[in-house]
Amino acid sequence: MKVYLDSSVIDVFLFGEGMEAERYAHVKKLFQKIDDRTLVAVISFKRKKATKRFFAFSKI
């Protein structure tokens, strides 16, 4: 199953352990499932060129 990682989720994982402890616990479980390859993470890019390159790469 694929899951979309919004930038706010990534922010919480990287910086939120002390500031958003409850949300961090849920996000940490999500990333553990990604690490275990139970889930596949998908992110998006704001730049049009980067998006085209990402989709070209992801189809390989």
Short mmCIF file of all heavy atoms in Angstrom, two decimals:
data_model
loop_
_atom_site.label_atom_id
_atom_site.label_comp_id
_atom_site.label_asym_id
_atom_site.label_seq_id
_atom_site.Cartn_x
_atom_site.Cartn_y
_atom_site.Cartn_z
N MET A 1 0.85 -1.17 0.00
CA MET A 1 0.00 0.00 0.00
C MET A 1 0.89 1.23 0.00
O MET A 1 1.91 1.27 0.67
CB MET A 1 -0.91 0.01 1.23
CG MET A 1 -1.73 1.27 1.34
SD MET A 1 -2.66 1.43 2.86
CE MET A 1 -3.87 0.17 2.64
N LYS A 2 0.50 2.23 -0.76
CA LYS A 2 1.22 3.49 -0.82
C LYS A 2 0.57 4.51 0.11
O LYS A 2 -0.65 4.56 0.21
CB LYS A 2 1.23 4.05 -2.24
CG LYS A 2 2.04 3.22 -3.20
CD LYS A 2 2.04 3.84 -4.57
CE LYS A 2 2.82 2.97 -5.54
NZ LYS A 2 2.82 3.54 -6.89
N VAL A 3 1.40 5.30 0.79
CA VAL A 3 0.92 6.38 1.63
C VAL A 3 1.61 7.67 1.22
O VAL A 3 2.79 7.68 0.90
CB VAL A 3 1.16 6.11 3.14
CG1 VAL A 3 0.34 4.95 3.62
CG2 VAL A 3 2.62 5.89 3.44
N TYR A 4 0.84 8.74 1.20
CA TYR A 4 1.38 10.06 0.86
C TYR A 4 1.91 10.71 2.13
O TYR A 4 1.21 10.81 3.13
CB TYR A 4 0.29 10.93 0.24
CG TYR A 4 0.72 12.35 0.03
CD1 TYR A 4 1.61 12.68 -0.99
CD2 TYR A 4 0.28 13.36 0.87
CE1 TYR A 4 2.03 13.99 -1.18
CE2 TYR A 4 0.70 14.67 0.69
CZ TYR A 4 1.56 14.97 -0.33
OH TYR A 4 1.98 16.25 -0.52
N LEU A 5 3.16 11.15 2.09
CA LEU A 5 3.76 11.84 3.23
C LEU A 5 3.72 13.34 2.97
O LEU A 5 4.48 13.87 2.15
CB LEU A 5 5.20 11.39 3.44
CG LEU A 5 5.42 9.96 3.86
CD1 LEU A 5 6.90 9.70 4.08
CD2 LEU A 5 4.64 9.64 5.12
N ASP A 6 2.86 14.01 3.67
CA ASP A 6 2.78 15.46 3.62
C ASP A 6 4.00 16.03 4.33
O ASP A 6 4.57 15.40 5.23
CB ASP A 6 1.48 15.89 4.34
CG ASP A 6 1.27 17.37 4.27
OD1 ASP A 6 0.85 17.86 3.21
OD2 ASP A 6 1.52 18.04 5.29
N SER A 7 4.41 17.21 3.94
CA SER A 7 5.60 17.82 4.55
C SER A 7 5.44 18.00 6.06
O SER A 7 6.43 17.91 6.79
CB SER A 7 5.93 19.15 3.88
OG SER A 7 4.86 20.06 4.03
N SER A 8 4.23 18.19 6.54
CA SER A 8 4.04 18.36 7.98
C SER A 8 4.34 17.06 8.73
O SER A 8 4.84 17.09 9.86
CB SER A 8 2.62 18.83 8.30
OG SER A 8 1.67 17.85 7.96
N VAL A 9 4.08 15.92 8.11
CA VAL A 9 4.40 14.63 8.73
C VAL A 9 5.92 14.45 8.80
O VAL A 9 6.46 14.01 9.81
CB VAL A 9 3.75 13.47 7.94
CG1 VAL A 9 4.20 12.13 8.46
CG2 VAL A 9 2.24 13.59 7.99
N ILE A 10 6.59 14.82 7.73
CA ILE A 10 8.05 14.73 7.71
C ILE A 10 8.65 15.67 8.75
O ILE A 10 9.59 15.30 9.46
CB ILE A 10 8.59 15.02 6.29
CG1 ILE A 10 8.07 13.95 5.32
CG2 ILE A 10 10.11 15.07 6.29
CD1 ILE A 10 8.28 14.26 3.87
N ASP A 11 8.10 16.86 8.87
CA ASP A 11 8.57 17.82 9.88
C ASP A 11 8.43 17.26 11.28
O ASP A 11 9.34 17.39 12.11
CB ASP A 11 7.81 19.14 9.78
CG ASP A 11 8.20 19.97 8.58
OD1 ASP A 11 9.26 19.70 7.98
OD2 ASP A 11 7.44 20.90 8.24
N VAL A 12 7.30 16.65 11.57
CA VAL A 12 7.08 16.07 12.90
C VAL A 12 8.09 14.96 13.16
O VAL A 12 8.66 14.86 14.24
CB VAL A 12 5.64 15.54 13.07
CG1 VAL A 12 5.50 14.71 14.33
CG2 VAL A 12 4.65 16.70 13.08
N PHE A 13 8.33 14.12 12.16
CA PHE A 13 9.29 13.03 12.33
C PHE A 13 10.70 13.56 12.60
O PHE A 13 11.42 13.04 13.44
CB PHE A 13 9.29 12.12 11.11
CG PHE A 13 10.18 10.92 11.26
CD1 PHE A 13 9.85 9.89 12.13
CD2 PHE A 13 11.36 10.82 10.54
CE1 PHE A 13 10.67 8.79 12.28
CE2 PHE A 13 12.18 9.72 10.68
CZ PHE A 13 11.84 8.69 11.55
N LEU A 14 11.08 14.61 11.89
CA LEU A 14 12.43 15.15 12.04
C LEU A 14 12.61 16.04 13.27
O LEU A 14 13.66 16.01 13.91
CB LEU A 14 12.81 15.94 10.79
CG LEU A 14 12.94 15.14 9.50
CD1 LEU A 14 13.18 16.07 8.32
CD2 LEU A 14 14.05 14.12 9.61
N PHE A 15 11.58 16.84 13.60
CA PHE A 15 11.76 17.88 14.61
C PHE A 15 10.74 17.88 15.74
O PHE A 15 10.85 18.69 16.64
CB PHE A 15 11.72 19.27 13.93
CG PHE A 15 12.62 19.39 12.74
CD1 PHE A 15 12.09 19.52 11.46
CD2 PHE A 15 13.99 19.37 12.89
CE1 PHE A 15 12.92 19.64 10.35
CE2 PHE A 15 14.83 19.48 11.79
CZ PHE A 15 14.29 19.61 10.51
N GLY A 16 9.75 17.02 15.69
CA GLY A 16 8.64 17.16 16.62
C GLY A 16 8.63 16.29 17.85
O GLY A 16 7.68 16.31 18.61
N GLU A 17 9.68 15.52 18.07
CA GLU A 17 9.66 14.59 19.21
C GLU A 17 9.42 15.31 20.53
O GLU A 17 8.62 14.87 21.35
CB GLU A 17 10.96 13.81 19.27
CG GLU A 17 10.96 12.73 20.32
CD GLU A 17 12.19 11.86 20.24
OE1 GLU A 17 13.15 12.18 19.52
OE2 GLU A 17 12.19 10.82 20.93
N GLY A 18 10.06 16.43 20.73
CA GLY A 18 9.90 17.16 21.99
C GLY A 18 8.70 18.09 22.00
O GLY A 18 8.10 18.32 23.04
N MET A 19 8.32 18.61 20.82
CA MET A 19 7.27 19.62 20.76
C MET A 19 5.88 19.02 20.56
O MET A 19 4.90 19.59 21.02
CB MET A 19 7.58 20.61 19.64
CG MET A 19 8.87 21.38 19.88
SD MET A 19 9.45 22.34 18.46
CE MET A 19 8.01 23.21 17.95
N GLU A 20 5.81 17.90 19.83
CA GLU A 20 4.51 17.28 19.53
C GLU A 20 4.59 15.79 19.84
O GLU A 20 4.46 14.95 18.97
CB GLU A 20 4.15 17.49 18.06
CG GLU A 20 3.96 18.92 17.65
CD GLU A 20 3.43 19.02 16.23
OE1 GLU A 20 2.35 18.45 15.96
OE2 GLU A 20 4.09 19.66 15.41
N ALA A 21 4.79 15.48 21.11
CA ALA A 21 5.06 14.11 21.53
C ALA A 21 3.96 13.12 21.11
O ALA A 21 4.27 12.02 20.64
CB ALA A 21 5.26 14.06 23.05
N GLU A 22 2.71 13.50 21.26
CA GLU A 22 1.62 12.58 20.93
C GLU A 22 1.59 12.30 19.42
O GLU A 22 1.50 11.15 18.98
CB GLU A 22 0.28 13.15 21.38
CG GLU A 22 -0.87 12.19 21.16
CD GLU A 22 -2.19 12.73 21.68
OE1 GLU A 22 -2.20 13.63 22.53
OE2 GLU A 22 -3.22 12.21 21.21
N ARG A 23 1.68 13.35 18.63
CA ARG A 23 1.67 13.17 17.17
C ARG A 23 2.94 12.44 16.71
O ARG A 23 2.89 11.60 15.82
CB ARG A 23 1.56 14.53 16.49
CG ARG A 23 1.38 14.42 15.01
CD ARG A 23 1.07 15.75 14.38
NE ARG A 23 0.95 15.60 12.94
CZ ARG A 23 1.22 16.56 12.06
NH1 ARG A 23 1.57 17.75 12.48
NH2 ARG A 23 1.11 16.34 10.79
N TYR A 24 4.06 12.75 17.34
CA TYR A 24 5.32 12.10 16.98
C TYR A 24 5.23 10.58 17.15
O TYR A 24 5.74 9.83 16.31
CB TYR A 24 6.48 12.65 17.82
CG TYR A 24 7.78 11.95 17.55
CD1 TYR A 24 8.55 12.30 16.45
CD2 TYR A 24 8.23 10.91 18.36
CE1 TYR A 24 9.74 11.65 16.16
CE2 TYR A 24 9.42 10.26 18.09
CZ TYR A 24 10.17 10.63 17.00
OH TYR A 24 11.35 9.98 16.73
N ALA A 25 4.57 10.13 18.20
CA ALA A 25 4.44 8.68 18.43
C ALA A 25 3.73 8.00 17.27
O ALA A 25 4.14 6.92 16.82
CB ALA A 25 3.69 8.44 19.74
N HIS A 26 2.68 8.63 16.74
CA HIS A 26 1.95 8.07 15.60
C HIS A 26 2.80 8.10 14.33
O HIS A 26 2.82 7.14 13.55
CB HIS A 26 0.64 8.82 15.38
CG HIS A 26 -0.32 8.68 16.50
ND1 HIS A 26 -0.98 7.52 16.79
CD2 HIS A 26 -0.72 9.58 17.45
CE1 HIS A 26 -1.76 7.69 17.84
NE2 HIS A 26 -1.61 8.94 18.26
N VAL A 27 3.49 9.21 14.13
CA VAL A 27 4.32 9.36 12.94
C VAL A 27 5.48 8.36 12.98
O VAL A 27 5.84 7.77 11.95
CB VAL A 27 4.82 10.82 12.81
CG1 VAL A 27 5.87 10.95 11.72
CG2 VAL A 27 3.65 11.75 12.54
N LYS A 28 6.04 8.15 14.15
CA LYS A 28 7.13 7.18 14.29
C LYS A 28 6.66 5.77 13.91
O LYS A 28 7.39 5.04 13.23
CB LYS A 28 7.66 7.20 15.73
CG LYS A 28 8.88 6.35 15.92
CD LYS A 28 9.42 6.47 17.32
CE LYS A 28 10.62 5.57 17.51
NZ LYS A 28 11.13 5.62 18.87
N LYS A 29 5.47 5.40 14.31
CA LYS A 29 4.91 4.10 13.92
C LYS A 29 4.73 4.01 12.41
O LYS A 29 4.99 2.97 11.80
CB LYS A 29 3.57 3.86 14.62
CG LYS A 29 3.69 3.60 16.09
CD LYS A 29 2.33 3.41 16.72
CE LYS A 29 2.43 3.29 18.23
NZ LYS A 29 1.12 3.17 18.87
N LEU A 30 4.29 5.10 11.80
CA LEU A 30 4.14 5.14 10.35
C LEU A 30 5.49 4.92 9.66
O LEU A 30 5.60 4.10 8.74
CB LEU A 30 3.54 6.48 9.92
CG LEU A 30 3.47 6.75 8.42
CD1 LEU A 30 2.49 5.79 7.76
CD2 LEU A 30 3.07 8.19 8.15
N PHE A 31 6.52 5.62 10.12
CA PHE A 31 7.83 5.47 9.52
C PHE A 31 8.41 4.07 9.77
O PHE A 31 9.15 3.55 8.93
CB PHE A 31 8.79 6.56 10.01
CG PHE A 31 8.72 7.80 9.18
CD1 PHE A 31 7.75 8.76 9.42
CD2 PHE A 31 9.62 8.01 8.15
CE1 PHE A 31 7.68 9.91 8.64
CE2 PHE A 31 9.55 9.16 7.36
CZ PHE A 31 8.58 10.11 7.62
N GLN A 32 8.07 3.46 10.87
CA GLN A 32 8.51 2.08 11.12
C GLN A 32 7.91 1.13 10.09
O GLN A 32 8.59 0.25 9.58
CB GLN A 32 8.13 1.62 12.53
CG GLN A 32 8.67 0.26 12.88
CD GLN A 32 10.18 0.19 12.81
OE1 GLN A 32 10.88 1.01 13.39
NE2 GLN A 32 10.71 -0.79 12.09
N LYS A 33 6.65 1.34 9.73
CA LYS A 33 6.01 0.51 8.71
C LYS A 33 6.64 0.75 7.34
O LYS A 33 6.74 -0.16 6.53
CB LYS A 33 4.51 0.77 8.67
CG LYS A 33 3.81 0.22 9.89
CD LYS A 33 2.32 0.40 9.83
CE LYS A 33 1.70 -0.18 11.10
NZ LYS A 33 0.27 -0.32 10.99
N ILE A 34 7.08 1.98 7.10
CA ILE A 34 7.78 2.28 5.85
C ILE A 34 9.14 1.58 5.85
O ILE A 34 9.53 0.97 4.86
CB ILE A 34 7.92 3.81 5.65
CG1 ILE A 34 6.53 4.43 5.45
CG2 ILE A 34 8.85 4.12 4.48
CD1 ILE A 34 6.51 5.94 5.55
N ASP A 35 9.84 1.64 6.97
CA ASP A 35 11.14 0.97 7.09
C ASP A 35 11.00 -0.54 6.92
O ASP A 35 11.87 -1.19 6.33
CB ASP A 35 11.80 1.27 8.43
CG ASP A 35 12.33 2.69 8.54
OD1 ASP A 35 12.47 3.35 7.49
OD2 ASP A 35 12.60 3.12 9.67
N ASP A 36 9.91 -1.10 7.45
CA ASP A 36 9.66 -2.54 7.34
C ASP A 36 9.15 -2.94 5.96
O ASP A 36 8.93 -4.11 5.70
CB ASP A 36 8.62 -2.97 8.38
CG ASP A 36 9.11 -2.82 9.81
OD1 ASP A 36 10.33 -2.71 10.02
OD2 ASP A 36 8.26 -2.81 10.72
N ARG A 37 8.90 -1.94 5.12
CA ARG A 37 8.38 -2.12 3.77
C ARG A 37 6.95 -2.68 3.76
O ARG A 37 6.51 -3.29 2.80
CB ARG A 37 9.32 -2.96 2.92
CG ARG A 37 10.66 -2.28 2.76
CD ARG A 37 11.60 -3.06 1.89
NE ARG A 37 12.90 -2.40 1.93
CZ ARG A 37 13.50 -1.91 0.87
NH1 ARG A 37 12.93 -1.99 -0.31
NH2 ARG A 37 14.68 -1.35 0.97
N THR A 38 6.24 -2.45 4.85
CA THR A 38 4.82 -2.76 4.90
C THR A 38 4.06 -1.72 4.09
O THR A 38 3.05 -2.02 3.47
CB THR A 38 4.32 -2.75 6.36
OG1 THR A 38 5.11 -3.66 7.11
CG2 THR A 38 2.87 -3.12 6.46
N LEU A 39 4.57 -0.48 4.11
CA LEU A 39 4.01 0.63 3.35
C LEU A 39 5.08 1.23 2.45
O LEU A 39 6.27 1.16 2.76
CB LEU A 39 3.51 1.73 4.30
CG LEU A 39 2.39 1.36 5.26
CD1 LEU A 39 2.15 2.51 6.23
CD2 LEU A 39 1.12 1.04 4.50
N VAL A 40 4.63 1.82 1.35
CA VAL A 40 5.52 2.53 0.44
C VAL A 40 5.19 4.02 0.55
O VAL A 40 4.04 4.41 0.40
CB VAL A 40 5.32 2.05 -1.01
CG1 VAL A 40 6.15 2.88 -1.98
CG2 VAL A 40 5.64 0.57 -1.14
N ALA A 41 6.19 4.82 0.82
CA ALA A 41 6.00 6.26 0.98
C ALA A 41 6.06 6.96 -0.36
O ALA A 41 6.90 6.66 -1.20
CB ALA A 41 7.05 6.83 1.92
N VAL A 42 5.18 7.94 -0.53
CA VAL A 42 5.15 8.78 -1.72
C VAL A 42 5.17 10.23 -1.24
O VAL A 42 4.46 10.59 -0.31
CB VAL A 42 3.87 8.52 -2.54
CG1 VAL A 42 3.82 9.44 -3.75
CG2 VAL A 42 3.78 7.07 -2.96
N ILE A 43 6.03 11.02 -1.87
CA ILE A 43 6.09 12.45 -1.55
C ILE A 43 5.88 13.23 -2.83
O ILE A 43 5.94 12.68 -3.92
CB ILE A 43 7.42 12.84 -0.88
CG1 ILE A 43 8.60 12.53 -1.82
CG2 ILE A 43 7.60 12.12 0.44
CD1 ILE A 43 9.92 13.06 -1.34
N SER A 44 5.65 14.52 -2.70
CA SER A 44 5.51 15.36 -3.89
C SER A 44 6.52 16.49 -3.82
O SER A 44 7.06 16.80 -2.77
CB SER A 44 4.09 15.93 -3.98
OG SER A 44 3.86 16.84 -2.93
N PHE A 45 6.77 17.07 -4.97
CA PHE A 45 7.68 18.20 -5.07
C PHE A 45 6.90 19.39 -5.58
O PHE A 45 5.99 19.25 -6.39
CB PHE A 45 8.81 17.89 -6.06
CG PHE A 45 9.66 16.75 -5.66
CD1 PHE A 45 9.46 15.49 -6.19
CD2 PHE A 45 10.69 16.93 -4.74
CE1 PHE A 45 10.26 14.43 -5.82
CE2 PHE A 45 11.50 15.88 -4.37
CZ PHE A 45 11.28 14.62 -4.91
N LYS A 46 7.29 20.58 -5.16
CA LYS A 46 6.59 21.78 -5.60
C LYS A 46 7.08 22.24 -6.96
O LYS A 46 6.34 22.83 -7.71
CB LYS A 46 6.78 22.90 -4.58
CG LYS A 46 6.03 22.65 -3.30
CD LYS A 46 6.14 23.82 -2.37
CE LYS A 46 5.36 23.53 -1.11
NZ LYS A 46 5.35 24.63 -0.19
N ARG A 47 8.31 21.97 -7.28
CA ARG A 47 8.86 22.43 -8.56
C ARG A 47 8.42 21.50 -9.68
O ARG A 47 8.48 20.29 -9.57
CB ARG A 47 10.38 22.48 -8.49
CG ARG A 47 10.84 23.57 -7.54
CD ARG A 47 12.32 23.73 -7.54
NE ARG A 47 12.80 23.89 -8.91
CZ ARG A 47 14.06 23.74 -9.25
NH1 ARG A 47 14.95 23.43 -8.35
NH2 ARG A 47 14.43 23.91 -10.50
N LYS A 48 7.98 22.08 -10.76
CA LYS A 48 7.47 21.31 -11.89
C LYS A 48 8.53 20.38 -12.47
O LYS A 48 8.27 19.21 -12.73
CB LYS A 48 6.95 22.26 -12.96
CG LYS A 48 6.01 21.65 -13.92
CD LYS A 48 5.42 22.72 -14.82
CE LYS A 48 4.23 22.19 -15.57
NZ LYS A 48 3.61 23.21 -16.39
N LYS A 49 9.76 20.87 -12.65
CA LYS A 49 10.82 20.04 -13.22
C LYS A 49 11.15 18.88 -12.30
O LYS A 49 11.35 17.77 -12.76
CB LYS A 49 12.07 20.88 -13.47
CG LYS A 49 11.95 21.83 -14.63
CD LYS A 49 13.24 22.59 -14.82
CE LYS A 49 13.11 23.59 -15.95
NZ LYS A 49 14.35 24.35 -16.13
N ALA A 50 11.21 19.13 -11.01
CA ALA A 50 11.52 18.06 -10.06
C ALA A 50 10.42 17.00 -10.09
O ALA A 50 10.71 15.81 -10.00
CB ALA A 50 11.67 18.63 -8.65
N THR A 51 9.17 17.42 -10.22
CA THR A 51 8.07 16.48 -10.27
C THR A 51 8.18 15.58 -11.49
O THR A 51 8.02 14.37 -11.41
CB THR A 51 6.72 17.23 -10.28
OG1 THR A 51 6.64 18.06 -9.13
CG2 THR A 51 5.56 16.25 -10.28
N LYS A 52 8.50 16.16 -12.64
CA LYS A 52 8.64 15.37 -13.86
C LYS A 52 9.77 14.35 -13.71
O LYS A 52 9.63 13.20 -14.09
CB LYS A 52 8.91 16.28 -15.06
CG LYS A 52 7.70 17.04 -15.52
CD LYS A 52 8.04 17.90 -16.72
CE LYS A 52 6.83 18.72 -17.15
NZ LYS A 52 7.15 19.59 -18.28
N ARG A 53 10.89 14.77 -13.13
CA ARG A 53 12.00 13.85 -12.94
C ARG A 53 11.63 12.75 -11.96
O ARG A 53 11.99 11.60 -12.14
CB ARG A 53 13.23 14.59 -12.45
CG ARG A 53 13.95 15.32 -13.58
CD ARG A 53 15.16 15.99 -13.05
NE ARG A 53 14.70 17.23 -12.44
CZ ARG A 53 15.46 18.21 -12.07
NH1 ARG A 53 16.75 18.11 -12.17
NH2 ARG A 53 14.97 19.31 -11.56
N PHE A 54 10.91 13.09 -10.90
CA PHE A 54 10.50 12.09 -9.91
C PHE A 54 9.61 11.03 -10.55
O PHE A 54 9.82 9.84 -10.37
CB PHE A 54 9.77 12.75 -8.74
CG PHE A 54 9.20 11.75 -7.78
CD1 PHE A 54 10.01 11.06 -6.90
CD2 PHE A 54 7.84 11.47 -7.79
CE1 PHE A 54 9.48 10.13 -6.02
CE2 PHE A 54 7.31 10.54 -6.92
CZ PHE A 54 8.13 9.87 -6.04
N PHE A 55 8.61 11.46 -11.31
CA PHE A 55 7.71 10.50 -11.92
C PHE A 55 8.42 9.66 -12.98
O PHE A 55 8.14 8.49 -13.13
CB PHE A 55 6.47 11.18 -12.49
CG PHE A 55 5.48 11.56 -11.42
CD1 PHE A 55 5.18 12.89 -11.19
CD2 PHE A 55 4.88 10.61 -10.63
CE1 PHE A 55 4.29 13.25 -10.19
CE2 PHE A 55 4.00 10.96 -9.62
CZ PHE A 55 3.69 12.29 -9.41
N ALA A 56 9.36 10.26 -13.69
CA ALA A 56 10.11 9.49 -14.66
C ALA A 56 10.94 8.42 -13.95
O ALA A 56 11.01 7.28 -14.37
CB ALA A 56 11.02 10.41 -15.47
N PHE A 57 11.52 8.77 -12.82
CA PHE A 57 12.31 7.83 -12.04
C PHE A 57 11.44 6.75 -11.43
O PHE A 57 11.80 5.58 -11.41
CB PHE A 57 13.07 8.56 -10.94
CG PHE A 57 13.82 7.66 -10.01
CD1 PHE A 57 15.01 7.08 -10.42
CD2 PHE A 57 13.32 7.36 -8.76
CE1 PHE A 57 15.70 6.23 -9.56
CE2 PHE A 57 14.01 6.52 -7.90
CZ PHE A 57 15.20 5.95 -8.31
N SER A 58 10.27 7.11 -10.93
CA SER A 58 9.43 6.15 -10.22
C SER A 58 8.83 5.10 -11.15
O SER A 58 8.40 4.06 -10.69
CB SER A 58 8.30 6.89 -9.47
OG SER A 58 7.41 7.48 -10.38
N LYS A 59 8.83 5.35 -12.45
CA LYS A 59 8.28 4.37 -13.39
C LYS A 59 9.31 3.32 -13.79
O LYS A 59 8.97 2.35 -14.44
CB LYS A 59 7.76 5.09 -14.64
CG LYS A 59 6.54 5.94 -14.37
CD LYS A 59 6.08 6.65 -15.60
CE LYS A 59 4.90 7.55 -15.27
NZ LYS A 59 4.46 8.31 -16.43
N ILE A 60 10.54 3.50 -13.39
CA ILE A 60 11.61 2.55 -13.76
C ILE A 60 11.40 1.25 -13.02
O ILE A 60 11.05 1.17 -11.91
CB ILE A 60 13.00 3.15 -13.46
CG1 ILE A 60 13.22 4.34 -14.35
CG2 ILE A 60 14.09 2.11 -13.62
CD1 ILE A 60 14.49 5.10 -14.05
#
